[in-house]
Amino acid sequence: VQLLVPTLPTPPGKEATAGAIERQRARLTENIWYSMWHTFSFSFGVYVLVQQSWWRGVILELKPELLYVDWQTHEFDSWMRLYYQVELAFWITCLVFHGFQSIQKDFLEMLLHHLVTIYLILVSGIVGFTRCGICVLVFHDIADVFLYSAKAADKAGVKPRAVVDLLFGLFVLAFFVGRMILYPGIVVVPAYIYAVSQEYWFSMPQFKDVKYSMKLGDPGTLCLPIAMTILLGVHCYWWALICKMIWKTVQNGSVTEEGDIRSDDESEEAEPKKSK
């Protein structure tokens, strides 16, 4: 990746010190790497997904029950297993090196995201919620493709700026559709309906007189739905930051470094602004 990084322009409003240029170069290299990885990961995930017989029913016909009903009998073929292994290895690496990367404002949120993601991959693979696991990974990867591409283009000073604005716009659209609509609508909410056992709900006093006609299949677990809900909470926090970014973009007329909420280092934020 280092060979792809050109001589960088000096960040606006900052002195051309060796340290500043080196930090910018490191951040650009980091963003290029993540952009390449998520492009590969999303493409691989889509390839594995479309090989499955159930994907049309879940995605096109909006039948999320196919992810959960009789989940203990779901297939886990060699391509799915390989995809799981690659994703698990990547996220474990992200967790290990999280403290060595440039410190961002959402450091703790990213740490929580990595831990929950690793838990979901491990448990869904072991227990048998593999259909759910693949959908979660694919729904999440598409937004990161545009996020890190936009950040890399921004750090490299790509001209015209409309290219950066377009990439950020595609990121916002992909994030909203993938993580705020498809993820909760197809994965999270149906998990509580179909994955949790019928006996569990009926054991609660408030449901003792309820007659539920739908067959839920084999008993499920609350662990994965709760973990996915925590992940959705992190997404809601990030969506609030994205809305803030959009507001700043509207005010500035273009995506600037001040408008890119997640790209700011804590160290740079602490630097006093020079008076004009």
Side-chain angles (χ1 to χ4, degrees), residues 5-257:
V5 180
T7 303
L8 300 176
T10 304
K14 298 181 180 180
E15 297 180 359
T17 62
I21 294 177
E22 185 59 32
R23 283 194 301 272
Q24 190 183 14
R25 183 183 183 89
R27 291 167 65 185
L28 174 58
T29 304
E30 182 180 306
N31 288 324
I32 291 176
W33 154 244
Y34 281 122
S35 175
M36 295 170 60
W37 159 258
H38 286 293
T39 300
F40 160 76
S41 177
F42 175 70
S43 302
F44 188 21
V46 170
Y47 173 79
V48 174
L49 179 63
V50 298
Q51 303 302 313
Q52 311 305 316
S53 59
W54 47 266
W55 82 271
R56 292 181 180 274
V58 173
I59 306 298
L60 301 182
E61 300 175 15
L62 298 180
K63 295 179 179 179
E65 62 269 21
L66 296 178
L67 296 179
Y68 299 107
V69 173
D70 297 327
W71 52 268
Q72 290 179 322
T73 63
H74 289 174
E75 67 284 356
F76 194 33
D77 60 36
S78 58
W79 279 112
M80 295 171 70
R81 192 178 303 275
L82 177 60
Y83 181 56
Y84 258 69
Q85 292 171 345
V86 170
E87 288 287 340
L88 181 61
F90 170 76
W91 288 110
I92 290 177
T93 302
C94 286
L95 179 63
V96 171
F97 290 97
H98 184 56
F100 298 96
Q101 296 176 340
S102 54
I103 304 301
Q104 297 174 340
K105 293 180 179 179
D106 58 351
F107 179 85
L108 294 179
E109 290 79 6
M110 283 294 291
L111 178 62
L112 177 61
H113 172 273
H114 294 348
L115 290 172
V116 173
T117 300
I118 292 172
Y119 173 83
L120 287 173
I121 295 174
L122 280 173
V123 176
S124 66
I126 294 173
V127 174
F129 286 100
T130 51
R131 296 182 181 181
C132 165
I134 289 180
C135 287
V136 171
L137 292 169
V138 171
F139 290 164
H140 285 67
D141 268 335
I142 180 60
D144 286 333
V145 171
F146 296 114
L147 171 63
Y148 290 106
S149 296
K151 291 170 70 174
D154 183 42
K155 301 306 176 189
V158 171
K159 302 296 182 182
R161 292 293 298 177
V163 174
V164 179
D165 295 343
L166 175 61
L167 289 172
F168 269 111
L170 292 174
F171 157 68
V172 172
L173 179 62
F175 189 100
F176 181 73
V177 173
R179 302 193 186 192
M180 304 304 293
I181 295 181
L182 295 180
Y183 175 61
I186 293 181
V187 179
V188 180
V189 174
Y192 288 97
I193 299 175
Y194 303 108
V196 179
S197 70
Q198 184 175 1
E199 292 76 15
Y200 177 87
W201 291 116
F202 287 174
S203 67
M204 297 183 179
Q206 60 268 38
F207 293 114
K208 64 180 180 180
D209 297 325
V210 175
K211 294 182 179 179
Y212 195 68
S213 60
M214 181 175 291
K215 183 178 183 300
L216 297 179
D218 296 327
T221 175
L222 273 176
C223 296
L224 281 176
I226 290 175
M228 290 189 294
T229 303
I230 294 173
L231 192 60
L232 179 60
V234 176
H235 296 335
C236 291
Y237 168 77
W238 280 337
W239 180 247
L241 295 185
I242 291 171
C243 292
K244 183 178 178 182
M245 178 194 73
I246 294 173
W247 175 248
K248 287 189 175 183
T249 299
V250 171
Q251 289 182 317
N252 296 328
S254 178
V255 176
T256 63
E257 188 165 346

